[in-house]
Amino acid sequence: MTMTSETVAAAIAAWSGLSEAEQARVFRAFKRDEREQLFLGLRAAEQAVLLLRMPVHERLTYFRVLPPDDAADVVQQAPAEERPRLLELLDDVARAEVKALLAYAEDDAGGLMNPRFARLRPEMTVDEAISYLRLQSRRMETVYYAYVLDAEQRLQGVVSFRDLFTADGRALVSQVMNPHVISVGEQTDQEEVARLFASEDLSAIPVVDEAGRMKGIVTVDDIVDVVQEEATEDIQKFGGMEALDDPYLETGFWQMVRKRGGWLAALFLGEMLTATAMSHYEEEIARAVVLAVFIPLIISSGGNSGSQASTLIVRAMALAEVRLRDWWKVARREVASGLALGGLLASIGFLRILVWQAVGQTYGEHYLLIGATVALSLVGVVLFGTLAGSMLPFVLRRVGFDPASASAPFVATMVDVTGLVIYFTTANLILRGTLL
Amino acid sequence: MTMTSETVAAAIAAWSGLSEAEQARVFRAFKRDEREQLFLGLRAAEQAVLLLRMPVHERLTYFRVLPPDDAADVVQQAPAEERPRLLELLDDVARAEVKALLAYAEDDAGGLMNPRFARLRPEMTVDEAISYLRLQSRRMETVYYAYVLDAEQRLQGVVSFRDLFTADGRALVSQVMNPHVISVGEQTDQEEVARLFASEDLSAIPVVDEAGRMKGIVTVDDIVDVVQEEATEDIQKFGGMEALDDPYLETGFWQMVRKRGGWLAALFLGEMLTATAMSHYEEEIARAVVLAVFIPLIISSGGNSGSQASTLIVRAMALAEVRLRDWWKVARREVASGLALGGLLASIGFLRILVWQAVGQTYGEHYLLIGATVALSLVGVVLFGTLAGSMLPFVLRRVGFDPASASAPFVATMVDVTGLVIYFTTANLILRGTLL
């Protein structure tokens, strides 16, 4: 929570690169008070490993310094058979709190929140509130915002410490509090919570149950981690695999192969359609082998433009910059982009064929027709790639899937088959009677 | 900073979808005190647009509520010719602060920091410190951490409000402060600052100059935006384009086409090597057209496995989970993954050829040799893709480029040419004397 010395900071930074035995040794090398700082600076999974390697009597010292939300994370990261023993280390109040938190899903507001927050009654005076908070402050993660609750624990308003500080001491809390509080429900997804923090510039959000009773607060320092995690998940889905959940070097080999192999095999099955499509055009290739030469160039252009478009839309959706109802606006824009980008590649491709022909007579007497076929196919393929890549995230979201599954490899696979069809159809139109 | 009513929150959420005229109208529809909340909730670019549409006498009211770091952002977002007029709205002190901030790059610590922070002298007593902070609190963005400076403004330590609160009132600030403060330099990149916040669970980091004099603080609520922005940049680079910098729907059409077209054309030029490679194998294709059938399947498998590997490594590098010196550990792991994943696809591919042969006699008498060629090529191509995809980010970082440029399309392009060479070399080895 607070400040750490530089050697402790260096140890934290290097932590994930160390073996478990090395971690234990490094931990021991620090002085007592620095050990606590070091322990607090680690991620929950690392804290769990370290705790379980300590002698039982030491575990208590470090485990009890964690606020209940962090303690719950550690318990969640420990192997199932160790969990009861960790819970026993806590005092009765803390154990009850941690158990309550464990009932929430890890990635909703209830799983993120801290049940210890500063609470005030509306009928207190400002001076009473300040002394009351002074008493509470040792037990709280933050006293900088205090929440005003009625007798039924329903949230009435919020007051910052700073507001109390600058108010008249005899005023009532209900007079200085802000009654407009943004709150979230216990089941609100952490991604939604992170978006609220970012868009509203908040430092804490209260979590309330369905009856409006306040259950805890989520603070902004918990959210920085969430934003990082969610971006990592999106990026990994984007690379065409399941999200790993753990850091790369800490993920088991077979677990990683499974998460990559599943998508890779699925993409491979989809890509098999290209073999089917190609069989269909074997006769054309046999008659004009030169057509085969441009196949990788053309289908990859479709894949690249498609992955650009889907990246843009998936990310814009994740940041709520683009919503479902914007699909038509996006489609029009992407048709225009597709034509412009397709035109650009078509010109480069056509020029390339002219130059090669001038230098080496590579493409025979029909080089202009070949050039036209390649150029026209490029416009078609890039246009299709752009449109498919930008619309796929909308379709996925509409049917309830995560738009981030519209990964670069997924889009490329989808576009490859169509690219072949576009290319050979164009060739049949332009080259019929000459090469074909 | 604090809490916002729900209608204001709704307006902020819908803001980017409105035209400038609609934005001005919605703004006017709110009551005076809500307008300020609404204004504070917008992004800097939106604040600039709104301010410039207001009558001059109103601009002053809203512009002056911004803390200096946010005011500097607004000035940066306004057209160059409007900037002097915006600066004139500020009082002398604020104008000097904002001008000083404008000298920093937008994405380093100096550009993020707020020059107003709570400062204490080490020789004050705790009681003196509390009353002094009470006086300062109206002017500060946060008083929850106070920084202890000597007479030369050098940073000596930090003390949280909560520490002061629970300490003996007659103790000296130098006795209760924590002298181990993590600080950053003015030029520290915002990505580095964000990583520190995430790994150390801080809520504020002081910024010091080379002489150790404290210049300002960066608070965690500014960092949530930074983390989002940096992830967006990485994701867009990952999709094979330049980062857009602005939300998708707010980016001008030609600007977007330029940012996508540049990379698309570069990838196209690289992909042209496939046409050169294919020309080289025209003879083989003419003799065994069946070979052409599997080209898209084989090269795309290399691209997909490569993009998985590069995604994993690029993200792990961004989070500092993997460092340059880990390259050998990663290489060994990826060789093993490549063999496992290649073996998986090879089995599926071989099976597919057996089934198609059994059903339709598709591949003639040499179907087993064709199957072996495809299977062996798949192992080679996936192994190469995995290794190239995982090593490219290391190479890019080593020579000083952003590893995130190792995008899925970039890796796929790199692997396509090699994939063709691997495939036709394997074919020449296995099919020489029968089909070739």
Side-chain angles (χ1 to χ4, degrees):
Chain A
M1 255 322 277
T2 49
M3 301 299 150
T4 325
S5 84
E6 283 179 36
T7 42
V8 171
I12 293 170
W15 205 255
S16 67
L18 304 176
S19 72
E20 292 188 13
E22 286 168 335
Q23 290 174 348
R25 214 172 321 128
V26 169
F27 186 68
R28 223 136 276 297
F30 279 97
K31 277 178 293 177
R32 260 204 163 279
D33 60 325
E34 287 177 320
R35 281 187 207 161
E36 189 176 312
Q37 293 175 357
L38 173 56
F39 181 74
L40 286 171
L42 300 176
R43 290 179 311 111
E46 295 164 344
Q47 289 170 334
V49 167
L50 193 56
L51 271 177
L52 294 173
R53 288 188 78 97
M54 286 178 192
V56 177
H57 67 275
E58 261 185 55
R59 290 184 188 173
L60 190 117
T61 320
Y62 296 100
F63 196 45
R64 286 202 178 177
V65 298
L66 295 176
D69 51 340
D70 293 343
D73 287 344
V74 169
V75 174
Q76 235 148 9
Q77 296 288 341
E81 66 276 15
E82 297 284 357
R83 287 180 200 162
R85 252 182 294 169
L86 284 175
L87 284 172
E88 273 168 36
L89 296 173
L90 299 169
D91 64 49
D92 291 349
V93 178
R95 184 162 52 243
E97 286 171 338
V98 169
K99 277 191 171 166
L101 290 174
L102 286 172
Y104 291 106
E106 218 186 324
D107 56 358
D108 63 23
L112 280 176
M113 76 185 182
N114 187 333
R116 298 187 188 162
F117 54 91
R119 51 192 93 199
L120 296 174
R121 297 292 295 274
E123 63 274 15
M124 284 175 165
T125 65
V126 166
D127 277 341
E128 284 168 350
I130 292 180
S131 1
Y132 182 68
L133 287 177
R134 210 162 168 166
L135 278 175
Q136 284 190 54
S137 69
R138 243 179 253 273
R139 240 181 92 76
M140 301 299 127
E141 197 176 342
T142 174
V143 290
Y144 304 140
Y145 286 98
Y147 297 89
V148 184
L149 307 185
D150 66 13
E152 275 80 45
Q153 306 293 313
R154 278 188 307 249
L155 182 58
Q156 304 292 304
V158 66
V159 61
S160 75
F161 212 96
R162 183 183 182 171
D163 295 336
L164 286 177
F165 239 41
T166 53
D168 175 3
R170 287 155 306 176
L172 294 183
V173 166
S174 58
Q175 294 170 312
V176 295
M177 74 182 189
N178 180 345
H180 302 299
V181 193
I182 296 186
S183 61
V184 294
E186 295 162 291
Q187 262 87 48
T188 307
D189 185 79
Q190 62 178 4
E191 220 171 331
E192 181 58 35
V193 178
R195 249 198 313 272
L196 265 176
F197 269 102
S199 69
E200 305 286 321
D201 257 356
L202 303 169
S203 22
I205 291 184
V207 180
V208 297
D209 69 9
E210 282 169 16
R213 283 186 301 257
M214 184 161 167
K215 309 303 277 186
I217 52 169
V218 180
T219 49
V220 70
D221 48 306
D222 297 322
I223 284 297
V224 173
D225 299 339
V226 168
V227 171
Q228 294 272 34
E229 266 169 41
E230 295 282 344
T232 302
E233 273 180 31
D234 279 3
I235 288 176
Q236 290 178 345
K237 281 190 194 153
F238 223 83
M241 81 196 87
E242 273 181 69
L244 282 193
D245 299 332
D246 291 308
Y248 172 77
L249 287 173
E250 288 167 38
T251 307
F253 178 75
W254 287 109
Q255 193 192 350
M256 186 180 70
V257 167
R258 213 166 45 238
K259 292 199 166 181
R260 289 159 73 167
W263 262 105
L264 212 54
L267 292 168
F268 188 75
L269 291 175
E271 193 74 30
M272 276 184 181
L273 288 174
T274 59
T276 313
M278 288 290 286
S279 305
H280 202 255
Y281 299 117
E282 256 184 276
E283 211 181 307
E284 280 85 351
I285 297 172
R287 258 183 281 159
V289 176
V290 67
L291 282 181
V293 167
F294 297 103
I295 289 174
L297 183 62
I298 285 177
I299 62 177
S300 73
S301 301
N304 290 345
S305 51
S307 92
Q308 284 189 343
S310 72
T311 312
L312 277 177
I313 302 305
V314 169
R315 186 60 184 166
M317 278 186 173
L319 299 178
E321 292 167 6
V322 162
R323 282 143 209 275
L324 259 185
R325 59 172 197 278
D326 293 323
W327 74 273
W328 179 236
K329 211 190 285 181
V330 171
R332 277 184 313 179
R333 203 176 154 97
E334 289 302 312
V335 166
S337 311
L339 289 173
L341 295 169
L344 170 69
L345 297 197
S347 322
I348 303 176
F350 194 74
L351 200 70
R352 196 269 196 193
I353 288 176
L354 290 188
V355 172
W356 256 242
Q357 179 66 16
V359 175
Q361 299 293 314
T362 323
Y363 304 114
E365 53 169 337
H366 299 300
Y367 72 97
L368 278 179
L369 290 180
I370 295 175
T373 304
V374 169
L376 211 66
S377 304
L378 279 169
V379 175
V381 166
V382 171
L383 178 60
F384 179 80
T386 308
L387 204 56
S390 59
M391 291 298 108
L392 183 61
F394 287 100
V395 174
L396 288 176
R397 166 156 289 184
R398 186 72 191 76
V399 297
F401 286 105
D402 182 352
S405 308
S407 63
F410 184 4
V411 171
T413 301
M414 205 170 76
V415 172
D416 279 354
V417 184
T418 337
L420 289 172
V421 176
I422 293 175
Y423 179 43
F424 282 101
T425 309
T426 313
N428 269 322
L429 286 173
I430 296 185
L431 301 176
R432 177 71 57 213
T434 54
L435 278 173
L436 292 178
Chain B
M1 260 323 277
T2 50
M3 301 297 150
T4 327
S5 83
E6 282 180 34
T7 43
V8 171
I12 291 170
W15 205 256
S16 67
L18 304 176
S19 71
E20 292 188 14
E22 287 168 334
Q23 290 174 348
R25 216 172 320 127
V26 169
F27 187 69
R28 225 134 275 297
F30 279 96
K31 277 178 292 177
R32 259 202 165 282
D33 60 325
E34 288 176 321
R35 280 188 207 160
E36 191 177 310
Q37 294 176 357
L38 174 55
F39 182 74
L40 286 172
L42 300 176
R43 289 181 308 114
E46 296 165 342
Q47 290 170 333
V49 166
L50 192 57
L51 271 177
L52 294 173
R53 288 189 77 99
M54 285 180 192
V56 177
H57 66 275
E58 261 185 55
R59 289 184 188 173
L60 190 117
T61 320
Y62 296 100
F63 197 44
R64 288 202 177 178
V65 298
L66 294 176
D69 52 338
D70 293 343
D73 287 344
V74 169
V75 173
Q76 236 150 7
Q77 295 289 340
E81 66 276 16
E82 298 284 356
R83 286 179 201 163
R85 251 182 294 169
L86 283 176
L87 284 173
E88 274 169 37
L89 295 175
L90 298 170
D91 62 49
D92 291 348
V93 179
R95 185 163 49 244
E97 287 171 337
V98 169
K99 276 189 172 168
L101 289 175
L102 286 173
Y104 292 105
E106 220 185 324
D107 55 359
D108 62 24
L112 279 176
M113 76 183 182
N114 188 334
R116 297 184 189 163
F117 55 90
R119 52 190 94 201
L120 296 174
R121 298 292 294 274
E123 63 274 18
M124 283 176 166
T125 65
V126 167
D127 277 341
E128 283 168 353
I130 292 181
S131 358
Y132 181 68
L133 287 177
R134 210 164 167 161
L135 278 175
Q136 284 190 55
S137 71
R138 243 178 255 271
R139 242 179 90 78
M140 301 300 127
E141 199 176 340
T142 175
V143 290
Y144 304 140
Y145 285 98
Y147 296 89
V148 184
L149 307 185
D150 66 13
E152 277 79 46
Q153 306 293 310
R154 280 189 306 250
L155 182 58
Q156 304 292 304
V158 64
V159 61
S160 76
F161 211 97
R162 184 187 181 167
D163 296 336
L164 286 177
F165 239 41
T166 52
D168 175 4
R170 289 155 303 175
L172 294 182
V173 166
S174 58
Q175 295 170 309
V176 297
M177 74 181 188
N178 180 345
H180 302 298
V181 193
I182 296 186
S183 61
V184 294
E186 295 163 293
Q187 262 86 47
T188 306
D189 186 77
Q190 62 178 3
E191 220 171 331
E192 182 56 36
V193 177
R195 247 199 314 270
L196 265 177
F197 268 104
S199 70
E200 306 288 318
D201 256 358
L202 304 168
S203 20
I205 291 184
V207 181
V208 297
D209 68 9
E210 282 168 16
R213 282 186 300 260
M214 182 160 167
K215 311 303 276 186
I217 50 168
V218 181
T219 48
V220 70
D221 46 307
D222 298 321
I223 283 297
V224 173
D225 299 340
V226 168
V227 172
Q228 293 273 33
E229 266 169 42
E230 295 283 345
T232 302
E233 273 180 31
D234 278 3
I235 288 176
Q236 289 177 347
K237 281 189 195 154
F238 224 85
M241 80 195 90
E242 274 181 68
L244 282 191
D245 298 332
D246 291 309
Y248 171 78
L249 287 173
E250 286 166 40
T251 307
F253 178 75
W254 287 110
Q255 193 192 349
M256 186 179 70
V257 166
R258 212 165 45 237
K259 293 201 165 182
R260 291 160 68 168
W263 261 105
L264 213 53
L267 292 169
F268 188 74
L269 290 175
E271 193 73 29
M272 274 182 182
L273 289 175
T274 60
T276 313
M278 289 290 286
S279 306
H280 201 255
Y281 299 116
E282 257 183 274
E283 210 181 305
E284 279 86 349
I285 298 173
R287 258 184 279 159
V289 177
V290 68
L291 282 181
V293 166
F294 297 103
I295 289 174
L297 183 62
I298 285 176
I299 62 178
S300 73
S301 300
N304 290 345
S305 51
S307 92
Q308 285 189 341
S310 72
T311 312
L312 277 178
I313 302 306
V314 169
R315 186 59 184 167
M317 279 186 170
L319 299 179
E321 292 167 4
V322 162
R323 284 142 208 275
L324 260 186
R325 59 168 198 273
D326 294 323
W327 74 272
W328 179 235
K329 209 191 286 182
V330 171
R332 276 183 313 178
R333 204 177 154 94
E334 288 302 312
V335 165
S337 310
L339 289 173
L341 296 169
L344 171 69
L345 298 196
S347 322
I348 303 177
F350 194 75
L351 200 70
R352 197 268 197 193
I353 289 176
L354 290 187
V355 172
W356 255 243
Q357 179 67 14
V359 174
Q361 300 290 314
T362 323
Y363 304 112
E365 52 169 338
H366 297 300
Y367 72 96
L368 279 179
L369 290 179
I370 295 176
T373 304
V374 169
L376 212 64
S377 305
L378 279 170
V379 174
V381 166
V382 170
L383 177 61
F384 180 79
T386 306
L387 203 55
S390 59
M391 291 297 108
L392 183 62
F394 286 100
V395 174
L396 289 176
R397 166 154 289 182
R398 187 70 192 75
V399 298
F401 286 106
D402 182 351
S405 308
S407 64
F410 184 4
V411 171
T413 301
M414 206 170 75
V415 173
D416 279 355
V417 185
T418 336
L420 289 172
V421 176
I422 293 175
Y423 180 42
F424 282 101
T425 310
T426 313
N428 269 323
L429 285 174
I430 296 186
L431 301 175
R432 175 74 55 213
T434 53
L435 279 173
L436 292 178

